[in-house]
Amino acid sequence: MASSSSPYPGIFLKSLFSFLVLSSLAMASNFNQDFDITWGDGRAQILNNGELLTLSLDKASGSGFQSKHEYLFGKIDMQLKLVAGNSAGTVTAYYLSSQGPTHDEIDFEFLGNLSGDPYILHTNVFSQGKGNREQQFYLWFDPTADFHTYSILWNPQRIIFSVDGIPIREFKNSESIGVPFPKNQAMRIYSSLWNADDWATRGGLVKTDWTKAPFTASYRNFNANACVMSSGSSSCDSKSPTSTTDNLQWLSQELDSAGQERMKWVQNNYMIYNYCADTKRFPQGLPPECSNTNMS
């Protein structure tokens, strides 16, 4: 259950973890080198010699981009500053995805809200075309006031979602009990800003206020310590991942006891929906991976 306190308490944590995260980030890449703007008719822009990317949304259209590379496992970091003010009805999506009807996908989606009300961070994992594994959170800071780091660690054993270096969710490989896990399909990174006022805010009750347009989300400090797939072969096969680091430690990384405690703190205080607790949605029994300890 979410805490009944303010959605943005614990601001003191911001400076502590921001220092740790920013000091540990590898040299950020250049958006011109790593991404293609794919839609939006000029509403997406790469600025500051490739150091900043912005997406905008108005009544006519949103905008989006995708990575030039496909990845099969990696540690992906991106800093985002979300739409400020009245962002109700808008969705900023940042995710990894393969293509086709049996696609795999690892999602961050940020659901906008009325001024002063908290964003909802929506997460999901698709494997072999099946999703329905939603977990939702409030954040312990205002994600529109500054940039924050949103990370996906994806290796053959687990997927870990983190915010400013704090793990919020772990999805473990549960193939041993018949649950498909994303491990065979290379994925690109995608992001988009779009209008979803038919469902995004209070189930669609609150509509987008177009008098506040254009809405803008900003991105910087992308980093991929990852295995790049090209013509069916992986850069990690030659031990040359796209990173300034010289090892593949993340490929077998797991949460230590401190990470487990931090994740438990987030889930106890800021989780507002967990599909593994929704017995009304799954009257025939919860999905099998829900029995895997700490999979959430």
Side-chain angles (χ1 to χ4, degrees):
M1 293 295 291
S3 169
S4 60
S5 60
S6 164
Y8 306 132
I11 296 301
F12 70 92
L13 285 168
K14 176 182 172 182
S15 58
L16 171 62
F17 287 109
S18 290
F19 172 77
L20 294 173
V21 171
L22 291 174
S23 62
S24 64
L25 276 177
M27 183 66 69
S29 301
N30 184 299
F31 281 108
N32 284 310
Q33 296 172 357
D34 294 303
F35 292 94
D36 292 316
I37 292 172
T38 48
W39 64 285
D41 205 18
R43 291 172 179 81
Q45 294 184 304
I46 297 176
L47 306 167
N48 298 355
N49 297 315
E51 294 181 359
L52 179 70
L53 189 152
T54 61
L55 295 181
S56 66
L57 163 70
D58 57 34
K59 197 166 186 177
S61 178
S63 50
F65 64 90
Q66 70 181 44
S67 62
K68 294 180 186 289
H69 294 304
E70 291 184 301
Y71 305 94
L72 188 62
F73 307 126
K75 170 75 161 53
I76 309 294
D77 302 304
M78 184 81 83
Q79 291 192 324
L80 280 74
K81 183 163 71 170
L82 300 179
V83 174
N86 183 0
S87 59
T90 71
V91 172
T92 306
Y94 157 55
Y95 59 102
L96 289 161
S97 182
S98 62
Q99 298 298 306
T102 58
H103 78 292
D104 295 335
E105 189 171 322
I106 304 169
D107 289 343
F108 277 115
E109 289 188 319
F110 304 89
L111 312 185
N113 215 329
L114 295 168
S115 297
D117 289 342
Y119 263 81
I120 291 174
L121 172 53
H122 174 101
T123 66
N124 204 352
V125 176
F126 287 74
S127 52
Q128 295 295 308
K130 180 184 180 300
N132 299 324
R133 300 185 177 104
E134 301 91 347
Q135 291 184 353
Q136 295 183 334
F137 305 83
Y138 288 146
L139 293 164
W140 50 95
F141 53 83
D142 179 356
T144 73
D146 203 351
F147 286 89
H148 292 267
T149 304
Y150 302 90
S151 305
I152 294 168
L153 171 71
W154 169 37
N155 65 32
Q157 296 83 36
R158 58 187 44 81
I159 296 163
I160 300 172
F161 297 77
S162 298
V163 178
D164 285 345
I166 302 174
I168 65 169
R169 175 178 187 178
E170 180 179 26
F171 182 82
K172 288 185 176 180
N173 185 328
S174 299
E175 289 178 305
S176 62
I177 55 173
V179 180
F181 184 82
K183 68 173 191 178
N184 297 314
Q185 300 185 63
M187 297 197 254
R188 292 188 194 274
I189 301 164
Y190 296 89
S191 191
S192 58
L193 174 58
W194 49 292
N195 177 46
D197 67 2
D198 55 335
W199 65 271
T201 306
R202 294 184 59 199
L205 293 177
V206 182
K207 301 300 183 183
T208 303
D209 181 358
W210 293 112
T211 67
K212 300 295 191 293
F215 304 97
T216 301
S218 302
Y219 302 73
R220 72 180 187 189
N221 288 348
F222 164 71
N223 184 65
N225 186 356
C227 301
V228 174
M229 295 298 293
S230 179
S231 302
S233 62
S234 168
S235 64
C236 292
D237 293 341
S238 59
K239 302 297 186 291
S240 58
T242 57
S243 170
T244 57
T245 59
D246 58 1
N247 62 63
L248 299 174
Q249 188 175 8
W250 56 266
L251 202 49
S252 58
Q253 185 176 335
E254 58 188 30
L255 290 176
D256 59 15
S257 58
Q260 294 281 1
E261 285 302 311
R262 286 189 209 160
M263 185 171 69
K264 187 181 299 183
W265 172 78
V266 172
Q267 294 183 354
N268 286 343
N269 290 283
Y270 299 102
M271 178 182 280
I272 58 172
Y273 178 78
N274 180 6
Y275 78 108
C276 279
D278 195 343
T279 54
K280 291 183 178 179
R281 181 180 177 187
F282 301 105
Q284 305 305 313
L286 294 171
E289 70 269 17
C290 294
S291 63
N292 194 342
T293 304
N294 288 328
M295 60 68 54
S296 62

